[in-house]
Structures are given as C-alpha cells and as structure tokens.
C-alpha cells in the first residue's frame, strides 16, 4: 500500500472536498474535448494517472475499460462517489503511485495524464512508467501547462515557481524536458484555445512488444 500522504498529493488530499468547486469549470471542458477527440474504440483498455476526483470519468465511453489511479485516497473517494452515483461498471479505481505502477508491461491501449506531470517529483519517471504499461503503438495523452517559449513569460513564471513548488507543483517543466529520451512520436500538440495556459499532447508509444515467457 503506497504512502498516500507524500508532499505532492498531500495538498490534494487536504482540499479534495473543494477540488471540483475550484477546478471543474477550468479543467473539465478541455478534458471532455480531448477524450472525445480520441474516439476511444470498443474494448480499449484505458489507464488514467492521477485521476483525482474523477472529473474526467463521465467523458469516457462505457464501451471502454477504464482504470484510474491516484496517490491520494481522499481524491479517489470523491471519484468513487461519482462512479457509485452513476452506476458506472466500466471504471475501476486503485490507490497507486504513478511512478511505480503495479501493472505488467503493455497492459493498456491509452495512458492519460491530465494536470499531473508537473505535480509528481519526477516527470520522466512517470513517462517511463506510462510507456512501459502502454502497449507498443498505444497512445499517451497529456494535458498540462508547460514552460513558455516566450522569455518574458518564462521569467515571470520562474518567480512564482518556489511558491507553487511549496504547494506541490512545478511551473517550470518544459515539453522538451518531459519528452527527453522518451521514445514517443508526437502525433498532436495543440491548445484548445490560443490563449490557454494548457497544452494537449497526443503521442504514439514507440517501443517493441515485450518478450513473452
Ligand atoms: C492537479 S490534480 C489533477 C487531477 C485530475 N487529473 C484532474 O485533471 O482533475 C493532480 C493529482 O495527481 C495526484 N498525484 C500526485 N502525485 C501522484 C503520484 N505520484 N501518483 C499518482 N497520483 C499522484 C494528486 O493526488 C492529484 O489528485
């Protein structure tokens, strides 16, 4: 059983009851649009890392087999309430560390990480784990804010980074740093609105099929 109170999930744990009130309006429309655009096929195995309170869950088609994991049990409890209220039988939740996934190689067709790669202490390790459990040719789908290419904005954001780090997330993570040495092919990189702080990345997992036996 993972320790559910390390720093990066502690704040989410403590404020889990407020999370939807604060973030639903900002995050949900983009998540819905991105999941819709994937046209997830029947029977697809989907893993969402850092699923939180399950803001995304209603966006998944019931013909997919969806698993959400998160380190913070209080966040998962909120997601569990949504599953119970809606009678969703295609969604399973587990408390787990995204940096140490308890799944065999090639277990999923899609691995999602929405607003989580800058929260974990090691974004590259999250990517390695995401790639490991995703089948060759499967999709990694990331929504996050990334370090701006504009120098003035970068300098401004660097100033607030010590504060946000203290709260539990980084503002300085760049797309290059995230994808450093990661064998993926970026199929789509876009913003759902030109002024949005958030970028959507859809990447194809470029790896060989794991050896059997
Ligand atoms: C900003 S919230 C995003 C939640 C959800 N994906 C969304 O878009 O609303 C970040 C989530 O990542 C979780 N988290 C932080 N570190 C984690 C880790 N190492 N493994 C799994 N989840 C983690 C937090 O508990 C929190 O629920």
């Amino acid at each position: 059983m993972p320790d559910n109170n390390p720093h990066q999930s502690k704040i989410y744990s403590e404020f889990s009851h407020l999370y939807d009130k604060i973030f639903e309006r900002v995050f949900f429309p983009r998540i819905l649009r991105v999941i819709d655009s994937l046209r997830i096929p029947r029977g697809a195995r989907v893993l969402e890392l850092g699923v939180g309170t399950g803001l995304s869950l209603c966006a998944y088609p019931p013909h997919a087999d969806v698993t959400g994991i998160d380190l913070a049990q209080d966040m998962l409890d909120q997601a569990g309430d949504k599953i119970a209220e809606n009678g969703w039988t295609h969604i399973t939740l587990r408390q787990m560390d995204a940096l140490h996934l308890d799944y065999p190689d090639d277990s999923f067709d899609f691995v999602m990480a929405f607003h989580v790669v800058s929260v974990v202490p090691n974004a590259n390790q999250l990517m390695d784990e995401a790639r490991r459990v995703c089948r060759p040719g499967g999709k990694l789908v990331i929504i996050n804010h990334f370090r701006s290419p504009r120098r003035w904005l970068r300098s401004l954001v660097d100033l607030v980074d010590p504060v946000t780090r203290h709260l539990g997330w980084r503002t300085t993570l760049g797309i290059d740093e995230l994808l450093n040495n990661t064998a993926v092919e970026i199929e789509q990189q876009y913003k759902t609105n030109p002024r949005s702080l958030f970028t959507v990345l859809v990447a194809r997992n470029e790896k060989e099929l794991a050896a059997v036996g």
Side-chain angles (χ1 to χ4, degrees):
M1 172 75 77
D3 173 358
N4 71 344
N5 239 3
H7 184 69
Q8 72 270 15
S9 69
K10 190 167 182 284
I11 190 158
Y12 297 103
S13 225
E14 284 171 359
F15 293 103
S16 58
H17 57 293
L18 294 176
Y19 186 89
D20 285 5
K21 289 191 182 73
I22 300 170
F23 291 112
E24 184 170 9
R25 276 193 357 190
V26 188
F27 286 172
F28 178 68
R30 182 172 25 251
I31 291 175
L32 180 62
R33 204 166 138 184
V34 170
I35 294 179
D36 260 5
S37 75
L38 296 170
R39 305 253 182 278
I40 295 176
R42 183 164 297 281
R45 302 157 302 166
V46 179
L47 175 66
E48 188 177 322
L49 305 174
V51 66
T53 59
L55 276 185
S56 60
L57 296 181
C58 66
Y60 291 109
H63 62 240
D65 181 5
V66 180
T67 304
I69 67 110
D70 201 286
L71 209 47
Q73 187 57 50
D74 306 77
M75 296 291 271
L76 287 174
D77 289 346
Q78 307 265 338
D81 288 348
K82 291 186 178 80
I83 293 174
E85 278 161 25
N86 290 285
W88 290 323
T89 54
H90 59 296
I91 306 176
T92 310
L93 300 174
R94 284 185 66 188
Q95 188 187 11
M96 200 182 292
D97 185 350
L99 306 187
H100 302 279
L101 293 172
D102 184 22
Y103 295 108
D105 296 357
D106 309 336
S107 297
F108 297 96
D109 303 296
F110 291 82
V111 179
M112 319 293 198
F114 304 146
H115 317 110
V116 70
V117 291
S118 53
V119 172
V120 295
N122 188 334
N124 297 116
Q125 191 177 336
L126 179 144
M127 289 301 286
D128 288 347
E129 276 295 82
R131 283 193 62 242
R132 182 184 66 75
V133 301
C134 185
R135 69 165 167 81
K139 307 271 187 221
L140 309 179
V141 184
I142 294 157
I143 305 176
N144 220 79
H145 59 80
F146 291 106
R147 194 169 169 77
S148 171
R150 287 183 222 142
R151 198 190 294 176
W152 68 268
L153 194 54
R154 267 206 321 257
S155 314
L156 198 69
V157 165
D158 286 354
L159 287 176
V160 298
D161 189 59
V163 179
T164 64
R165 261 178 208 257
H166 187 69
L167 291 171
W169 70 90
R170 289 176 60 188
T171 49
T172 54
L173 179 67
I175 293 181
D176 291 354
E177 181 187 342
L178 179 74
L179 300 178
N180 182 26
N181 288 328
T182 306
V184 293
E185 184 195 321
I186 299 294
E187 292 185 334
Q188 295 178 58
Q189 176 176 337
Y190 64 96
K191 289 180 183 282
T192 51
N193 166 333
R195 281 186 306 208
S196 171
L197 290 175
F198 295 90
T199 300
V200 181
L201 296 173
V202 180
R204 184 178 191 281
N205 194 13
E206 296 290 324
K207 73 171 187 189
E208 300 298 319
L209 200 59
V212 182

Short mmCIF file of all heavy atoms in Angstrom, two decimals, residues 6 8-10 12-13 19-20 23 27 31 48-56 69-72 75 96-99 113-116 119-121 126, ligand 1:
data_model
loop_
_atom_site.label_atom_id
_atom_site.label_comp_id
_atom_site.label_asym_id
_atom_site.label_seq_id
_atom_site.Cartn_x
_atom_site.Cartn_y
_atom_site.Cartn_z
N PRO A 6 2.53 11.67 0.79
CA PRO A 6 3.75 12.39 0.48
C PRO A 6 3.39 13.77 -0.05
O PRO A 6 2.25 14.03 -0.39
CB PRO A 6 4.44 11.53 -0.59
CG PRO A 6 3.35 10.77 -1.19
CD PRO A 6 2.29 10.60 -0.16
N GLN A 8 3.56 15.62 -2.73
CA GLN A 8 2.91 16.00 -3.98
C GLN A 8 1.42 15.68 -4.01
O GLN A 8 0.71 16.23 -4.83
CB GLN A 8 3.62 15.42 -5.20
CG GLN A 8 3.46 13.94 -5.41
CD GLN A 8 4.53 13.13 -4.71
OE1 GLN A 8 5.24 13.64 -3.86
NE2 GLN A 8 4.66 11.87 -5.06
N SER A 9 0.94 14.82 -3.15
CA SER A 9 -0.51 14.58 -3.17
C SER A 9 -1.17 15.09 -1.89
O SER A 9 -2.38 15.06 -1.77
CB SER A 9 -0.81 13.10 -3.36
OG SER A 9 -0.44 12.37 -2.22
N LYS A 10 -0.37 15.59 -0.95
CA LYS A 10 -0.90 16.00 0.36
C LYS A 10 -1.93 17.12 0.21
O LYS A 10 -3.02 17.06 0.76
CB LYS A 10 0.28 16.45 1.23
CG LYS A 10 -0.06 16.69 2.68
CD LYS A 10 1.23 16.81 3.48
CE LYS A 10 0.97 17.01 4.95
NZ LYS A 10 0.55 18.36 5.26
N TYR A 12 -3.70 17.91 -2.30
CA TYR A 12 -4.93 17.43 -2.96
C TYR A 12 -5.78 16.65 -1.97
O TYR A 12 -7.00 16.74 -1.95
CB TYR A 12 -4.58 16.60 -4.20
CG TYR A 12 -3.87 17.45 -5.21
CD1 TYR A 12 -2.51 17.38 -5.38
CD2 TYR A 12 -4.58 18.40 -5.96
CE1 TYR A 12 -1.85 18.19 -6.28
CE2 TYR A 12 -3.93 19.22 -6.85
CZ TYR A 12 -2.56 19.12 -7.02
OH TYR A 12 -1.92 19.95 -7.90
N SER A 13 -5.10 15.88 -1.13
CA SER A 13 -5.79 15.12 -0.11
C SER A 13 -6.55 16.06 0.82
O SER A 13 -7.72 15.88 1.10
CB SER A 13 -4.74 14.36 0.70
OG SER A 13 -5.11 13.07 0.91
N TYR A 19 -11.93 20.55 -4.47
CA TYR A 19 -11.27 20.45 -5.78
C TYR A 19 -12.24 20.72 -6.94
O TYR A 19 -11.97 21.55 -7.81
CB TYR A 19 -10.61 19.08 -5.93
CG TYR A 19 -9.80 18.97 -7.20
CD1 TYR A 19 -8.46 19.33 -7.22
CD2 TYR A 19 -10.37 18.54 -8.40
CE1 TYR A 19 -7.70 19.25 -8.39
CE2 TYR A 19 -9.63 18.46 -9.56
CZ TYR A 19 -8.30 18.81 -9.55
OH TYR A 19 -7.57 18.75 -10.70
N ASP A 20 -13.37 20.04 -6.95
CA ASP A 20 -14.30 20.20 -8.09
C ASP A 20 -14.82 21.63 -8.17
O ASP A 20 -14.98 22.17 -9.27
CB ASP A 20 -15.47 19.22 -7.98
CG ASP A 20 -15.04 17.80 -8.32
OD1 ASP A 20 -13.83 17.58 -8.55
OD2 ASP A 20 -15.90 16.91 -8.35
N PHE A 23 -11.80 23.63 -9.66
CA PHE A 23 -11.18 23.28 -10.95
C PHE A 23 -12.14 22.76 -12.03
O PHE A 23 -11.76 22.72 -13.20
CB PHE A 23 -10.07 22.24 -10.74
CG PHE A 23 -8.88 22.80 -10.00
CD1 PHE A 23 -8.57 22.39 -8.72
CD2 PHE A 23 -8.06 23.76 -10.60
CE1 PHE A 23 -7.48 22.91 -8.04
CE2 PHE A 23 -6.97 24.29 -9.94
CZ PHE A 23 -6.68 23.87 -8.65
N PHE A 27 -11.01 22.90 -15.87
CA PHE A 27 -10.39 21.70 -16.44
C PHE A 27 -11.35 20.85 -17.28
O PHE A 27 -10.95 20.27 -18.28
CB PHE A 27 -9.84 20.80 -15.31
CG PHE A 27 -8.57 21.31 -14.67
CD1 PHE A 27 -8.06 20.69 -13.53
CD2 PHE A 27 -7.86 22.39 -15.19
CE1 PHE A 27 -6.89 21.14 -12.93
CE2 PHE A 27 -6.70 22.85 -14.60
CZ PHE A 27 -6.21 22.22 -13.47
N ILE A 31 -10.81 18.60 -20.90
CA ILE A 31 -10.67 17.14 -20.77
C ILE A 31 -11.72 16.45 -21.66
O ILE A 31 -11.41 15.50 -22.39
CB ILE A 31 -10.86 16.70 -19.30
CG1 ILE A 31 -9.69 17.17 -18.44
CG2 ILE A 31 -11.02 15.19 -19.19
CD1 ILE A 31 -9.86 16.89 -16.95
N GLU A 48 -5.84 6.05 -16.44
CA GLU A 48 -5.63 7.49 -16.17
C GLU A 48 -4.80 7.63 -14.89
O GLU A 48 -5.18 7.17 -13.81
CB GLU A 48 -6.97 8.22 -16.03
CG GLU A 48 -6.71 9.73 -15.96
CD GLU A 48 -7.93 10.60 -15.89
OE1 GLU A 48 -8.95 10.30 -16.54
OE2 GLU A 48 -7.86 11.61 -15.15
N LEU A 49 -3.65 8.29 -15.05
CA LEU A 49 -2.73 8.52 -13.92
C LEU A 49 -3.15 9.79 -13.19
O LEU A 49 -3.43 10.81 -13.83
CB LEU A 49 -1.30 8.68 -14.44
CG LEU A 49 -0.77 7.54 -15.32
CD1 LEU A 49 0.60 7.91 -15.89
CD2 LEU A 49 -0.69 6.25 -14.53
N GLY A 50 -3.18 9.75 -11.86
CA GLY A 50 -3.56 10.95 -11.10
C GLY A 50 -4.98 11.36 -11.43
O GLY A 50 -5.25 12.52 -11.73
N VAL A 51 -5.90 10.41 -11.34
CA VAL A 51 -7.30 10.64 -11.77
C VAL A 51 -8.02 11.62 -10.85
O VAL A 51 -9.02 12.23 -11.22
CB VAL A 51 -8.06 9.29 -11.86
CG1 VAL A 51 -8.22 8.65 -10.49
CG2 VAL A 51 -9.41 9.44 -12.54
N GLY A 52 -7.49 11.82 -9.65
CA GLY A 52 -8.04 12.80 -8.72
C GLY A 52 -9.48 12.49 -8.35
O GLY A 52 -9.84 11.35 -8.05
N THR A 53 -10.34 13.52 -8.40
CA THR A 53 -11.75 13.35 -8.02
C THR A 53 -12.58 12.77 -9.16
O THR A 53 -13.80 12.71 -9.05
CB THR A 53 -12.36 14.71 -7.62
OG1 THR A 53 -12.25 15.58 -8.77
CG2 THR A 53 -11.64 15.34 -6.44
N GLY A 54 -11.92 12.43 -10.26
CA GLY A 54 -12.65 11.79 -11.36
C GLY A 54 -13.41 12.78 -12.23
O GLY A 54 -14.43 12.42 -12.83
N LEU A 55 -12.89 14.00 -12.36
CA LEU A 55 -13.53 14.99 -13.24
C LEU A 55 -13.74 14.45 -14.65
O LEU A 55 -14.71 14.78 -15.32
CB LEU A 55 -12.64 16.24 -13.37
CG LEU A 55 -12.72 17.31 -12.32
CD1 LEU A 55 -11.83 18.50 -12.71
CD2 LEU A 55 -14.15 17.76 -12.14
N SER A 56 -12.80 13.62 -15.10
CA SER A 56 -12.80 13.12 -16.48
C SER A 56 -13.74 11.94 -16.70
O SER A 56 -14.03 11.59 -17.85
CB SER A 56 -11.40 12.63 -16.82
OG SER A 56 -11.06 11.59 -15.90
N ILE A 69 -5.96 5.72 -11.35
CA ILE A 69 -5.14 5.56 -10.14
C ILE A 69 -4.76 6.94 -9.60
O ILE A 69 -4.66 7.92 -10.35
CB ILE A 69 -3.86 4.72 -10.39
CG1 ILE A 69 -2.86 5.46 -11.32
CG2 ILE A 69 -4.19 3.36 -10.95
CD1 ILE A 69 -1.63 5.92 -10.62
N ASP A 70 -4.56 7.00 -8.30
CA ASP A 70 -4.12 8.25 -7.67
C ASP A 70 -3.47 7.88 -6.34
O ASP A 70 -3.78 6.84 -5.75
CB ASP A 70 -5.31 9.20 -7.42
CG ASP A 70 -4.88 10.65 -7.26
OD1 ASP A 70 -4.32 11.00 -6.19
OD2 ASP A 70 -5.08 11.43 -8.20
N LEU A 71 -2.55 8.75 -5.90
CA LEU A 71 -1.88 8.53 -4.63
C LEU A 71 -2.77 8.93 -3.45
O LEU A 71 -2.67 8.36 -2.37
CB LEU A 71 -0.60 9.38 -4.63
CG LEU A 71 0.61 8.94 -3.85
CD1 LEU A 71 0.95 7.49 -4.08
CD2 LEU A 71 1.80 9.83 -4.24
N ALA A 72 -3.65 9.90 -3.67
CA ALA A 72 -4.44 10.45 -2.56
C ALA A 72 -5.79 9.74 -2.44
O ALA A 72 -6.65 9.88 -3.32
CB ALA A 72 -4.66 11.95 -2.78
N MET A 75 -8.96 11.91 -2.67
CA MET A 75 -9.37 12.27 -4.04
C MET A 75 -10.11 11.08 -4.66
O MET A 75 -11.17 11.24 -5.27
CB MET A 75 -8.15 12.62 -4.89
CG MET A 75 -7.40 13.84 -4.43
SD MET A 75 -8.30 15.38 -4.65
CE MET A 75 -7.83 15.86 -6.31
N MET A 96 -2.49 4.18 -6.01
CA MET A 96 -1.19 3.73 -6.55
C MET A 96 -0.33 4.95 -6.88
O MET A 96 -0.85 6.02 -7.16
CB MET A 96 -1.46 2.94 -7.84
CG MET A 96 -0.33 2.03 -8.28
SD MET A 96 -0.74 1.18 -9.83
CE MET A 96 -2.05 0.10 -9.33
N ASP A 97 0.97 4.73 -6.86
CA ASP A 97 1.93 5.77 -7.23
C ASP A 97 2.19 5.68 -8.73
O ASP A 97 2.59 4.63 -9.23
CB ASP A 97 3.23 5.54 -6.44
CG ASP A 97 4.25 6.63 -6.65
OD1 ASP A 97 4.06 7.48 -7.54
OD2 ASP A 97 5.25 6.63 -5.90
N ALA A 98 1.98 6.78 -9.42
CA ALA A 98 2.19 6.80 -10.89
C ALA A 98 3.66 6.55 -11.25
O ALA A 98 3.96 6.23 -12.40
CB ALA A 98 1.73 8.13 -11.45
N LEU A 99 4.55 6.69 -10.28
CA LEU A 99 5.98 6.47 -10.56
C LEU A 99 6.37 5.00 -10.36
O LEU A 99 7.49 4.61 -10.69
CB LEU A 99 6.84 7.35 -9.66
CG LEU A 99 6.53 8.85 -9.71
CD1 LEU A 99 7.56 9.64 -8.90
CD2 LEU A 99 6.48 9.36 -11.14
N ALA A 113 -2.62 11.39 -18.67
CA ALA A 113 -2.10 12.13 -17.51
C ALA A 113 -2.57 13.57 -17.65
O ALA A 113 -2.00 14.34 -18.43
CB ALA A 113 -0.57 12.04 -17.46
N PHE A 114 -3.62 13.90 -16.93
CA PHE A 114 -4.20 15.25 -17.03
C PHE A 114 -3.81 16.06 -15.79
O PHE A 114 -4.17 15.70 -14.66
CB PHE A 114 -5.73 15.18 -17.13
CG PHE A 114 -6.24 14.32 -18.28
CD1 PHE A 114 -7.41 13.60 -18.15
CD2 PHE A 114 -5.55 14.27 -19.49
CE1 PHE A 114 -7.90 12.83 -19.20
CE2 PHE A 114 -6.02 13.50 -20.55
CZ PHE A 114 -7.20 12.77 -20.39
N HIS A 115 -3.06 17.12 -16.00
CA HIS A 115 -2.67 18.04 -14.91
C HIS A 115 -1.92 17.30 -13.82
O HIS A 115 -2.16 17.51 -12.63
CB HIS A 115 -3.91 18.74 -14.32
CG HIS A 115 -4.87 19.21 -15.37
ND1 HIS A 115 -6.10 18.64 -15.57
CD2 HIS A 115 -4.74 20.17 -16.30
CE1 HIS A 115 -6.72 19.25 -16.58
NE2 HIS A 115 -5.91 20.18 -17.04
N VAL A 116 -1.03 16.41 -14.20
CA VAL A 116 -0.32 15.64 -13.18
C VAL A 116 1.19 15.57 -13.41
O VAL A 116 1.96 15.41 -12.46
CB VAL A 116 -0.97 14.22 -13.03
CG1 VAL A 116 -0.72 13.35 -14.22
CG2 VAL A 116 -0.49 13.52 -11.78
N VAL A 119 3.12 17.72 -11.22
CA VAL A 119 2.84 17.53 -9.79
C VAL A 119 3.77 16.47 -9.19
O VAL A 119 4.25 16.61 -8.07
CB VAL A 119 1.35 17.11 -9.59
CG1 VAL A 119 1.07 16.73 -8.15
CG2 VAL A 119 0.42 18.24 -10.03
N VAL A 120 4.06 15.43 -9.96
CA VAL A 120 4.91 14.35 -9.44
C VAL A 120 6.38 14.84 -9.35
O VAL A 120 6.77 15.73 -10.09
CB VAL A 120 4.84 13.07 -10.33
CG1 VAL A 120 3.46 12.47 -10.30
CG2 VAL A 120 5.28 13.37 -11.76
N PRO A 121 7.17 14.25 -8.43
CA PRO A 121 8.54 14.74 -8.26
C PRO A 121 9.46 14.41 -9.43
O PRO A 121 10.51 15.01 -9.58
CB PRO A 121 9.03 14.03 -6.99
CG PRO A 121 8.08 12.93 -6.74
CD PRO A 121 6.79 13.25 -7.43
N LEU A 126 7.55 9.22 -14.54
CA LEU A 126 6.14 8.99 -14.88
C LEU A 126 6.02 8.58 -16.35
O LEU A 126 5.29 7.64 -16.69
CB LEU A 126 5.31 10.25 -14.59
CG LEU A 126 3.81 10.14 -14.93
CD1 LEU A 126 2.97 10.92 -13.91
CD2 LEU A 126 3.47 10.61 -16.33
C1 LIG B 1 -3.95 18.72 -10.24
S1 LIG B 1 -4.60 17.17 -9.71
C2 LIG B 1 -5.28 16.57 -11.26
C3 LIG B 1 -6.42 15.61 -11.04
C4 LIG B 1 -7.15 15.20 -12.32
N1 LIG B 1 -6.24 14.53 -13.25
C5 LIG B 1 -7.76 16.39 -12.99
O1 LIG B 1 -7.37 16.76 -14.10
O2 LIG B 1 -8.69 16.98 -12.39
C6 LIG B 1 -3.16 16.16 -9.51
C7 LIG B 1 -3.48 14.77 -8.97
O3 LIG B 1 -2.29 13.98 -9.02
C8 LIG B 1 -2.25 13.17 -7.86
N2 LIG B 1 -0.88 12.72 -7.63
C9 LIG B 1 0.18 13.41 -7.18
N3 LIG B 1 1.28 12.66 -7.16
C10 LIG B 1 0.92 11.43 -7.61
C11 LIG B 1 1.63 10.20 -7.82
N4 LIG B 1 2.93 10.09 -7.56
N5 LIG B 1 0.93 9.15 -8.28
C12 LIG B 1 -0.40 9.24 -8.54
N6 LIG B 1 -1.11 10.38 -8.36
C13 LIG B 1 -0.46 11.46 -7.91
C14 LIG B 1 -2.80 14.09 -6.76
O4 LIG B 1 -3.21 13.37 -5.63
C15 LIG B 1 -3.94 14.76 -7.52
O5 LIG B 1 -5.13 14.01 -7.42
#
